[in-house]
Every structure is written in C-alpha cells, then in structure tokens.
C-alpha cells in the first residue's frame, strides 16, 4: 500500500527545488506550446526559476508544504500572507505520474490549515485558463471564482475561499 505524507519544508531544500523546477517547467511549457508552438527556451526557464526563489514561503509569513508518496517528493503547495487576514495559495503541483491519487486535495487542504495557522481567514489564488485541472480542483474544494485581485500577466482566473466557515465552503454572495 502506498501512502502520502505531508510536511513543511524549506523552500530551498533539494526536494523543494526539484519540485519547483518540475512545476515551473510544466506550466511554462504548457503556455509556450499553446501560444507559440514550442517549449520554453532553457535559458528563459532558468531565469524564471531563479527569479522566484520561494523565500516568501517561510515562517512567520508563509509556509511551503511538500507531499511525498512512499517517501519520494511528489508535490508541493505554498501559502504566504498578503495581509494579516488574507493568504495566497501558490505552487500547487503534483508530479504528472502521480495525479489522480488524491495528492492535490491533500496538499490544498493542508495549505488551508497552514494559512489558518498564519492567522488568515481567507485564501486567494490565481491560475490560467489552460490549467483546467487546477480550476476544477479549486471549484471542487469550495473556492469561488472572483474578480481579479492582482495584475499578474499570466493570471486569467482568480479564486477565493473563506477559511472560517464550518464546512470550508464559501456561502453564496
């Protein structure tokens, strides 16, 4: 029987670094293949990875969680406080070969708990239109699509979830 384990981990650990590279490579390649018909230029990929180290995902204002499947790094999710009551969910990723086995839901649920521990009562995120699996996951977990909350050039969909409701699902507006 295989099992998932989740634990906080430094953003610059070998496992976190490898998962960040896998995540960034996948989302960047998906965008370039969809819009320009080719994969990401390796030099550009390296610059993008280096530009977003993940240092904001450290206590006391953030947390990076690493999921392991049978002790092997398999996925990640991060939260960071944007203000005392609002946290952002970021870097939600599960290796493609392990998708569909419950890891993403475990990561998001653990990230929600970490955001509460940081004092947040609301969790927000953004994603792209082509990341349909992510949008479906967030909707299934009670996130509501909202108006834009940032101007990220790649953000096309914005979501929010009230972390203080008993069932964790947003109430209708």
């Amino acid at each position: 029987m295989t099992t998932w384990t989740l634990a906080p981990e430094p953003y610059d650990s070998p496992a976190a670094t490898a998962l960040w590279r896998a995540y960034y490579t996948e989302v960047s390649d998906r965008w370039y293949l969809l819009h320009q018909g080719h994969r990401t230029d390796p030099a550009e990929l390296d610059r993008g990875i280096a530009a977003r180290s993940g240092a904001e995902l450290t206590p006391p204002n953030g947390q990076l969680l690493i999921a392991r499947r049978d002790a092997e790094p398999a996925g990640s999710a991060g939260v960071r406080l944007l203000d005392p009551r609002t946290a952002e969910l970021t870097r939600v990723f599960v290796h493609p070969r392990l998708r569909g086995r419950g890891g993403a839901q475990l990561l998001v649920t653990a990230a929600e708990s970490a955001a509460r521990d940081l004092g947040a009562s609301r969790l927000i995120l953004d994603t792209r239109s082509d990341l349909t699996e992510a949008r479906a996951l967030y909707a299934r977990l009670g996130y509501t699509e909202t108006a834009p909350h940032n101007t990220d050039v790649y953000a096309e969909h914005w979501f929010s979830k009230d972390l203080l409701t008993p069932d964790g699902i947003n109430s209708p507006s």
Side-chain angles (χ1 to χ4, degrees):
M1 180 173 168
T2 58
T3 59
W4 289 98
T5 58
L6 294 158
E9 187 144 346
Y11 73 93
D12 57 354
S13 73
T17 300
L19 287 165
W20 173 230
R21 177 168 281 283
Y23 167 86
Y24 197 83
T25 300
E26 180 178 352
V27 298
S28 182
D29 280 353
R30 279 176 78 159
W31 190 91
Y32 273 101
L33 286 166
L34 179 65
H35 295 284
Q36 297 185 6
H38 63 82
R39 295 191 182 280
T40 312
D41 175 84
E44 181 180 351
L45 185 68
D46 288 340
R47 285 191 303 274
I49 290 168
R52 294 183 163 183
S53 71
E56 71 279 7
L57 303 177
T58 58
N61 295 316
Q63 187 71 69
L64 179 66
L65 301 165
I66 299 294
R68 286 180 166 75
R69 179 88 171 181
D70 293 333
E72 293 297 319
S76 65
V79 293
R80 65 183 182 122
L81 284 177
L82 299 177
D83 64 49
R85 300 183 55 83
T86 306
E88 180 182 35
L89 178 64
T90 186
R91 294 193 187 197
V92 177
F93 174 74
V94 174
H95 270 296
R97 63 183 161 69
L98 296 170
R99 291 181 185 157
R101 298 178 184 171
Q105 183 170 335
L106 288 171
L107 278 161
V108 172
T109 301
E112 291 170 0
S113 181
R116 280 188 209 91
D117 291 346
L118 294 170
S121 59
R122 182 171 76 114
L123 196 55
I124 63 173
L125 63 96
D126 65 69
T127 192
R128 297 189 327 231
S129 291
D130 64 306
L131 300 176
T132 56
E133 310 93 323
R135 292 183 10 242
L137 170 71
Y138 301 133
R140 188 172 66 250
L141 295 179
Y143 287 79
T144 301
E145 194 155 357
T146 64
H149 59 257
N150 64 26
T151 57
D152 185 311
V153 67
Y154 297 107
E156 297 171 312
H157 297 271
W158 296 263
F159 290 84
S160 176
K161 184 174 183 178
D162 179 354
L163 297 176
L164 300 182
T165 57
D167 58 6
I169 298 175
N170 288 330
S171 53
S173 303

